[in-house]
Amino acid sequence: MELKSQRNSAVDSIGNNFGEKIRRASEILNNSTSLMVFTGAGASEESGIPTFRGDNGFWKKYNPEDLVSVEGFKRDPKLVWDWHCMMRNLALSK
């Protein structure tokens, strides 16, 4: 019973239209021609995409707090968008 009430409070914190958001996400995915999934450590290396923490990883060059945090986005949204576009283009090139 306690687990159910925790789940309900988590869903409530997402918003009253959670079901609509899931339906819309499903619709977008169903109409997509491609899908990109970010996975755990090292999975990208086999595809030719550098890892984040490896010897030549992205975090050797970039500070994760600047690029993948709300605070970093608030400080410099252009930097964050540029980095994510670079990552998308890198993934699409493989």
Side-chain angles (χ1 to χ4, degrees):
M1 202 56 131
E2 182 180 342
L3 183 61
K4 185 177 179 184
S5 67
Q6 287 176 350
R7 182 192 166 278
N8 288 340
S9 66
V11 170
D12 289 345
S13 70
I14 294 171
N16 293 333
N17 62 349
F18 181 68
E20 176 59 24
K21 290 176 183 178
I22 294 295
R23 188 201 62 73
R24 179 69 181 127
S26 176
E27 181 181 298
I28 290 169
L29 290 172
N30 283 329
N31 292 320
S32 297
T33 57
S34 61
L35 175 68
M36 181 183 302
V37 177
F38 292 97
T39 63
S44 62
E45 193 168 24
E46 284 185 25
S47 301
I49 300 170
T51 63
F52 287 92
R53 293 184 181 92
D55 291 338
N56 294 316
F58 284 109
W59 298 154
K60 302 281 184 190
K61 301 174 191 170
Y62 304 101
N63 181 351
E65 287 84 16
D66 291 338
L67 299 170
V68 292
S69 71
V70 172
E71 293 79 15
F73 185 79
K74 287 178 181 176
R75 278 191 303 273
D76 193 344
K78 183 178 182 329
L79 174 69
V80 174
W81 280 116
D82 287 349
W83 186 80
H84 284 279
C85 285
M86 179 199 68
M87 291 298 293
R88 182 189 69 231
N89 290 335
L90 177 62
L92 290 172
S93 73
K94 301 299 174 183

